Structure formats: structure tokens, C-alpha cells
Amino acid sequence: MNKFSWYEAKSVEDALGKVNATVSEILAKNGNQTSAIFKAGGVDLLDLMKEGLVRPGMVIGIKNIPGLDKIDYDAKTGLRIGANVSLSEMESNDRIRDQYQALFQAVSHAGTPQIRNSATLGGNLAQRTRCWYFRSIDHDCYRKGSGTCFAQEGENEFHAVMDNQPCASVHSSSVATALLAFNAKVEILSSDGKKREVKMEDFFVHPSKDSRTENILKANEMITAVTVPAAGENIKSYYIKQGARESHDWALADVAVVAEMSGTRCKKAEIALGAASPVPVKAKAAADSLAGKEINEASAVNAGEIAMKNATPLANNGYKVPLFKTIIKRAILKTV
Ligand SMILES: Cc1cc2nc3c(=O)[nH]c(=O)nc-3n(C[C@H](O)[C@H](O)[C@H](O)COP(=O)(O)OP(=O)(O)OC[C@H]3O[C@@H](n4cnc5c(N)ncnc54)[C@H](O)[C@@H]3O)c2cc1C
């Protein structure tokens, strides 16, 4: 790891006055030593630094900025989760557990208790892919701007099975899968004082649009919160993550289903998939197939088939297609 200076930011404005880089920008400038970058929990940033991928000159500690660590709820506007709220604080929040079950399940299955104690929501959304070619300093891969995705012909068992050209990496946030199904928005503040709210589905950037960056954040911007619409009484949700093992691992496949129910009949639904594509995606046609239907084995199986209809698995990840079909079916059946 390189030597760097440490700056403990006192406020959002203070932090935004110092920051001048994102991970993608540092990668573009070969680990530029003049860059100053945010560290929240540090789980991902310090890994990237230890891996030698980023070598910032200054690390700006934002974890202790007052006001970014709150979870608020309003019956009209819904849930507002500050960017510095840790995954374990989300896990122990009664409202998230009772009204946003899929989000609770996603958070409580991320990493390990120790990781969840450090990891913040903002850092979780801005973390970089765990694709082993991206994480290897010896591979100048597509996500680093080279034009070559080594996973296409190489070791691709954990990689994307949909929209996997020109890069087959998957985004590592399983929390985003649940937030996407709940139609959450990301609140972003820029150093010029402008605030914008971006839909979760517009926050992540597919490699076909920009090879280097995985989200829309610019160097002078900070995630300040994530908002999730109010969940009415008839909203039922369920999240399933399948990893190679039960804990301490990222998802091989994960799914969140959020459904407005009337008894066993679904009025409308959202289905989001993680580790399927380079970005968390909605399975819109599959979700639409449930609208107005009884939730039962047949409708749940059918939705899984529709969700995977356009899958284009690579040589070693074909197993993910039946895996997705199964967890989609199971998550749908859990909404009744
Ligand atoms: C073994 C292991 C297993 C894991 N399993 C899972 C899993 O199953 N599911 C899952 O979702 N995650 C998983 N993770 C990832 C972990 O949850 C993330 O690394 C963590 O959430 C990152 O949060 P952080 O606060 O530590 O971010 P940091 O490492 O501090 O920051 C990450 C990035 O975000 C930027 N950043 C941080 N905060 C902000 C902000 N407010 N605004 C703008 N940019 C910001 C930083 O500059 C940096 O580039 C796992 C990690 C490990 C090590």
C-alpha cells in the first residue's frame, strides 16, 4: 500500500471541498498520487489500495460526518437512510425489518457481521466489482479501459449471464438488488451545492455505456442518502441470495421481489436481479407477467422462465440460469 495523507472531514461541504477523484478516475491515471478520495467504512477502498489498484495521495475520512448516520421514516415520503448508516444498523432497524423485508434480508446476508459493522450504505453502492480480472493488477481489463474482457474466454463461472458484452463483470452490491426492487433513489450532493435524486436503475452504468465507471458519481459528488418509497400494508417482499457458501461471500445470484398483493392475487410486482448482468437489473417482463395473477407454482415458474429468456451464459456459468429460475420462483412464492 502506498503512503497517503489522512484528512478527517468535519462536514459534507468540508469533504466535498477536498475530494477530487473516484476510483475510476484514479485507475484512469494509473493510481495518481495527487488524488484525494473518500473513505467511509473502508472495506472496499482499502482492499483496492492493498491490491495496488489505487494509490491515492489523500484519503478523506467521511464516516464521522454528523447527520449522515440517520434512518428516518415519513408515512408520505417513506424511508430515508443516510449514506453513512452501516449495514448492521440497517439490519437492526425495526421498520426496515418489518416493512421492507427484502431489504432487511439483503442487508443481513451481506458479508459477515464484522463487515456489516464497518460497511456503509454509500460505500456499498459505490464499491467496485469483485471480478478477479478487474481486481488483478496483472490484468488490464475492460473495466480498466483496455478493451479486453478476459472473462469472455477465461475463468467466468461467477460472471454475468445477461447483457454480458463487452464485459462480463457483475456488480457486487446485493443491497442494491433489494433497493432496486423497492424503486429506491440515490440522493447525491455536489461541491457546487446542487442536489440530485437518481433512480437506483439509473445510478449504475453498464460497461457498454462507459467501460471504466460503474456508477454515475462524479469526483465532486457525494451520496448523502438513499430514499425508499413508503411501503403500504399490502406490499410483500422477499429476497434470496445464493452464494457459494452461506456466509462471507458475494452472491452468485440474488433476487428481490416486491409485490402489491390482494390476498393471493398480485396487483403489480417488481423483480430485481443481482449478479446476473454487469449492473443490478429489473426483470420487467417477468414482473409484469405476475400482474393480476394468482401467485402459485405455475405463475412463479413462468416468471422465472421469462426472466431468463434472454440469458447468454458463458462457457462456465450456465449453472446460473437454472439457479436464477429457482430463486426467482421461490422468492415469488414467499410473497403470499
Ligand atoms: C468478504 C466480503 C464479502 C462481502 N459480501 C458482500 C455481499 O454479500 N453483499 C454486498 O452488498 N457487499 C458485500 N461485500 C462488500 C461490502 O459490503 C462493501 O465493500 C462495503 O459495503 C463498502 O462500504 P464501505 O463503507 O466500507 O465503503 P468504502 O470502502 O469506504 O468506499 C467504497 C467506495 O465508495 C466511495 N464512497 C464511500 N462513501 C461514499 C459516499 N457517501 N459518496 C460517494 N462515494 C462514496 C469510496 O470513495 C470508495 O470508492 C463484501 C465484502 C467483503 C470483504
Side-chain angles (χ1 to χ4, degrees):
M1 196 191 278
N2 67 293
K3 284 192 177 171
F4 57 87
S5 64
W6 172 260
Y7 184 79
E8 182 74 25
K10 286 148 205 76
S11 66
V12 172
E13 293 73 22
D14 184 26
L16 283 167
K18 284 269 185 257
V19 70
N20 67 12
T22 60
V23 168
S24 8
E25 278 151 6
I26 298 183
L27 282 170
K29 293 173 193 159
N30 291 324
N32 193 338
Q33 285 275 342
T34 60
S35 52
I37 192 162
F38 292 147
K39 182 199 85 71
V43 179
D44 197 43
L45 181 69
L46 292 180
D47 272 358
L48 289 163
M49 290 170 70
K50 286 186 276 185
E51 284 152 355
L53 287 172
V54 299
R55 295 188 295 281
M58 179 189 280
V59 174
I60 305 163
I62 61 170
K63 183 90 187 264
N64 298 321
I65 292 178
L68 295 181
D69 57 350
K70 296 194 168 39
I71 302 178
D72 298 308
Y73 184 78
D74 177 282
K76 270 198 185 137
T77 52
L79 196 60
R80 185 175 185 280
I81 312 167
N84 277 344
V85 172
S86 69
L87 302 191
S88 37
E89 284 161 344
M90 288 174 69
E91 190 182 357
S92 55
N93 182 275
D94 292 347
R95 192 171 296 277
I96 294 179
R97 191 196 55 227
D98 297 342
Q99 279 174 253
Y100 298 90
Q101 187 182 202
L103 180 57
F104 165 75
Q105 290 165 320
V107 169
S108 49
H109 284 92
T112 61
Q114 290 89 341
I115 289 166
R116 296 197 290 276
N117 283 341
S118 298
T120 65
L121 178 57
N124 183 276
L125 297 178
Q127 66 175 306
R128 297 304 308 261
T129 177
R130 290 278 165 172
C131 168
W132 40 45
Y133 295 112
F134 176 82
R135 292 276 165 167
S136 151
I137 197 151
D138 298 324
H139 291 85
D140 189 13
C141 77
Y142 195 87
R143 270 294 193 202
K144 296 187 204 123
S146 79
T148 305
C149 172
F150 297 99
Q152 302 293 341
E153 303 290 328
E155 300 293 333
N156 50 36
E157 52 265 49
F158 296 158
H159 288 74
V161 287
M162 294 163 72
D163 311 320
N164 47 10
Q165 302 298 325
C167 158
S169 65
V170 291
H171 198 275
S172 303
S173 171
S174 48
V175 182
T177 308
L179 289 170
L180 181 61
F182 276 111
N183 289 321
K185 289 183 179 163
V186 186
E187 196 182 278
I188 298 168
L189 187 70
S190 122
S191 55
D192 58 13
K194 287 195 182 127
K195 196 185 261 190
R196 58 181 178 141
E197 258 207 318
V198 178
K199 287 183 188 165
M200 193 57 65
E201 59 209 272
D202 298 329
F203 177 74
F204 297 103
V205 177
H206 192 275
S208 60
K209 294 204 177 110
D210 186 335
S211 62
R212 283 183 182 276
T213 183
E214 284 181 77
N215 60 59
I216 56 158
L217 285 175
K218 300 198 183 82
N220 67 337
E221 291 183 323
M222 183 192 279
I223 300 172
T224 46
V226 171
T227 56
V228 195
E233 270 182 23
N234 298 329
I235 299 291
K236 306 276 184 249
S237 68
Y238 208 83
Y239 169 88
I240 298 177
K241 168 183 165 185
Q242 184 64 53
R245 52 198 157 210
E246 182 57 27
S247 83
H248 207 106
D249 216 344
W250 287 266
L252 294 173
D254 64 335
V255 57
V257 177
V258 177
E260 187 181 341
M261 300 295 294
S262 170
T264 53
R265 184 170 286 272
C266 171
K267 285 187 167 173
K268 59 178 180 177
E270 298 281 4
I271 301 176
L273 308 178
S277 151
V279 292
V281 282
K282 279 195 178 175
K284 193 168 177 334
D288 289 349
S289 77
L290 298 174
K293 300 260 171 57
E294 284 292 316
I295 296 296
N296 53 32
E297 181 84 11
S299 58
V301 167
N302 183 47
E305 292 293 332
I306 295 173
M308 285 294 116
K309 204 170 127 216
N310 297 323
T312 52
L314 303 167
N316 304 312
N317 67 0
Y319 73 94
K320 277 198 179 192
V321 175
L323 178 57
F324 269 111
K325 287 181 187 174
T326 304
I327 62 172
I328 292 168
K329 179 192 84 173
R330 287 185 185 162
I332 292 170
L333 289 174
K334 289 284 189 184
T335 60
V336 285

